[in-house]
Every structure is written in structure tokens, then in C-alpha cells.
Amino acid sequence: MFASLLVILVPLLLGYSVPTLNSALMAWVNRAVSYLVYLILFFMGMGLAEINNLAAALVKMAGTTAVVFAAITLANGIGLWGLSRLYHANGRRGERQRVAWASVFKDTGILIGTVAAGTLVGLLVNINAHLLSETALVVLLLLIGVQLRSAGMTLRQLFLNRLGLLIALTVFVTTLLAGALLAPWLGLPIRHGMGIVSGFGWYSLSGILVTDALGPLWGATSFFIDLFRELVALALIPTLMQRAMPLAIGYAGATAMDFSLPAIQKSGGASAVPVAIVSGFLLSLATPVLMAILLA
């Protein structure tokens, strides 16, 4: 367990220790992270090609993904709706954003296509995809550490924003509870059941970490669970924000601080932004540590 934790934490902390870079260098870091995500997904697809009776395994994976995704959505929804009632944060007025679905589905198609391309190549070529993905993951974590540092969040800012902290805690607890309850049905130990759902929407990281620990089929399952979470969040944020702001922000998970932030800002106004950044930042920090511990 400690070795797995070190493999994740060391590059992440090294990246975080780098002083904040100028805008030109950060643009390069952001591009490099995007390229590495596609590379890792390609290697994950190559790993899928190694599975015996692949077609039957993929059908089973699709059913498992649907059930787990529905369970997480229900658990998060109940917890975050309750938080909205307790905190009296019923809604926020803001501009109703029209989601650019053509662009969203295009990006999603590219991600899924990258995994499929890797699978096809893996069927034709025998390459150690595991070693390549491990190397790419270390570099990715290093650059993500740099990105987290550039967000400029201090411990004081994180823990003084009470609502952001409560949203992250609610998502954390309800997601892990759903994973623990589903574990017997999945045929997994409870800690592994919690591990495969603890990506909180961070599909590029969850897919590779679960693949390394439990194999490519479970890695692909975790990837699709988190990818669908991001898509559903984009669809629901504009409506949910008018009724229950913690639910709108919380369901976005780790993506609340980056990918989903424009939708949150547009539909929730400026007051929702710091809450979203704190919640997303805390879940982003929790994901690699939690997965390393639960999947070891």
C-alpha cells in the first residue's frame, strides 16, 4: 500500500512544489496534460485487448457501469439534496447557460475513440502497455501537481469556505457508501468496491489507477462511470442551480474546479465560483490518495 501511495504522492508533491509558472509555461503544461490523458487512455485500450473473450467482457462491463453509475447518482443526489435543505442554499440566480452539446459530444467521442483505437492496436501488436501507462501516469501526476499549485488555493481558503467543504465531504461519503454497498454484488472486497468509484469524475486518473490495481476491465468501468458523471453534470447544472446549488456543484465532483466551472459560473453567478473551486479542489486532492489506499 505504501509503495503505491508513494508512486502517486511523490510526483504530485514534486509538481506542487514548483513555484507558480507564468502564463506561457502554464499553457504548455495544460496542453501536455491533455496529450498525456489521450496517451494513457490509448494504453488503457491496449490493456483491454489482452482480456480473453473480450466481447462478452465488454457487454458485462456495460451493465456493471450502468448499475454503479445509477447507484452513485442516487446516493450523491440524496446526500446533496439533504445538504441543500439543511444549509438553506436552495438556489442561485444566474445566467442560464446553453451547453455546447456538439462540442461536448465531439470531445467525448474522441475520448472513447482513443480507448477503442488502443484496443484495436493491442489486438494487432504485442506491447507492454502497462509499463508505458505507468510512465505516462508519473509524468501526468507531476504536471497535475503544477496545475494544482497554479490554482492558488491555500489551506485557509479551503477550510474557511464552509459550504465548499461540506459539499466535498457529502460527495466523498455518499460515493464511498454506494461503492461499499455495491461491492458484494460486484464480487469485490469492500475497499475495492469503494476504490473503483472514488474518481469523483476524474476519468483520466481513475481509469489508469484502477487498471493498474484490478485490471483493464475494471479500469474501463471506472473510466466510463466518471466520464458519464461529467456529461450528466453538464446537462443538469443549469437546472439544478436554480433549485439546489450544493447539488449542482457537488454532482460535478472533481470537475467543479475546471471542466464544469464555466457552467457553474454562468448558471450560479459569481458567488458559486469559490464554492465550486474549493469543493472540486478537495475532491481532486482526495482522488489519487484515496485510490492508492483502497486499491493497494
Side-chain angles (χ1 to χ4, degrees):
M1 180 181 75
F2 292 109
S4 300
L5 194 57
L6 284 175
V7 168
I8 291 171
L9 283 182
V10 169
L12 198 62
L13 292 175
L14 282 175
Y16 194 81
S17 68
V18 175
T20 303
L21 304 176
N22 61 43
S23 58
L25 287 175
M26 278 309 304
W28 181 89
V29 169
N30 294 334
R31 285 196 301 271
V33 167
S34 297
Y35 296 146
L36 281 168
V37 167
Y38 289 119
L39 190 62
I40 287 173
L41 293 179
F42 183 82
F43 292 146
M44 188 175 77
M46 293 183 69
L48 281 173
E50 299 174 1
I51 297 175
N52 293 326
N53 199 3
L54 179 59
L58 290 177
V59 171
K60 181 181 178 181
M61 182 199 75
T64 301
T65 299
V67 172
V68 176
F69 175 75
I72 293 173
T73 298
L74 178 62
N76 287 171
I78 293 172
L80 291 166
W81 185 264
L83 177 63
S84 300
R85 304 279 75 77
L86 291 173
Y87 207 84
H88 305 294
N90 298 331
R92 290 292 184 273
R93 292 184 178 180
E95 179 186 343
R96 297 277 296 191
Q97 165 150 3
R98 294 187 63 182
V99 179
W101 286 112
S103 176
V104 170
F105 284 122
K106 176 185 175 183
D107 292 341
T108 302
I110 292 173
L111 292 171
I112 297 174
T114 302
V115 177
T119 303
L120 290 175
V121 172
L123 291 171
L124 299 173
V125 181
N126 186 17
I127 297 177
N128 190 341
H130 177 75
L131 177 61
L132 294 173
S133 63
E134 284 279 340
T135 304
L137 175 63
V138 170
V139 179
L140 177 67
L141 288 170
L142 182 70
L143 295 180
I144 286 172
V146 175
Q147 286 182 322
L148 291 175
R149 176 66 174 266
S150 73
M153 299 297 297
T154 65
L155 289 177
R156 180 181 178 85
Q157 289 172 310
L158 289 172
F159 291 103
L160 281 182
N161 193 305
R162 184 184 176 194
L163 183 54
L165 180 60
L166 287 174
I167 289 173
L169 184 61
T170 301
V171 174
F172 182 92
V173 171
T174 55
T175 301
L176 294 188
L177 179 61
L181 292 175
L182 284 171
W185 178 76
L186 296 172
L188 294 172
I190 289 178
R191 65 188 183 93
H192 287 171
M194 293 190 293
I196 66 169
V197 302
S198 56
F200 306 117
W202 193 349
Y203 55 79
S204 58
L205 187 63
S206 63
I208 186 61
L209 291 181
V210 175
T211 295
D212 287 345
L214 303 180
L217 196 60
W218 285 115
T221 301
S222 185
F223 162 73
F224 282 111
I225 290 169
D226 287 323
L227 182 62
F228 293 154
R229 182 191 191 106
E230 185 176 276
L231 287 173
V232 172
L234 283 176
L236 295 181
I237 284 170
T239 299
L240 291 178
M241 190 65 76
Q242 312 305 316
R243 295 169 173 80
M245 189 260 279
L247 178 56
I249 292 175
Y251 191 73
T255 72
M257 69 171 288
D258 43 52
F259 189 82
S260 301
L261 188 60
I264 291 171
Q265 190 276 328
K266 289 283 187 180
S267 56
S271 62
V273 172
V275 179
I277 291 175
V278 168
S279 174
F281 190 90
L282 289 172
L283 290 171
S284 295
L285 284 179
T287 294
V289 178
L290 194 61
M291 284 196 153
I293 294 172
L294 292 173
L295 297 173

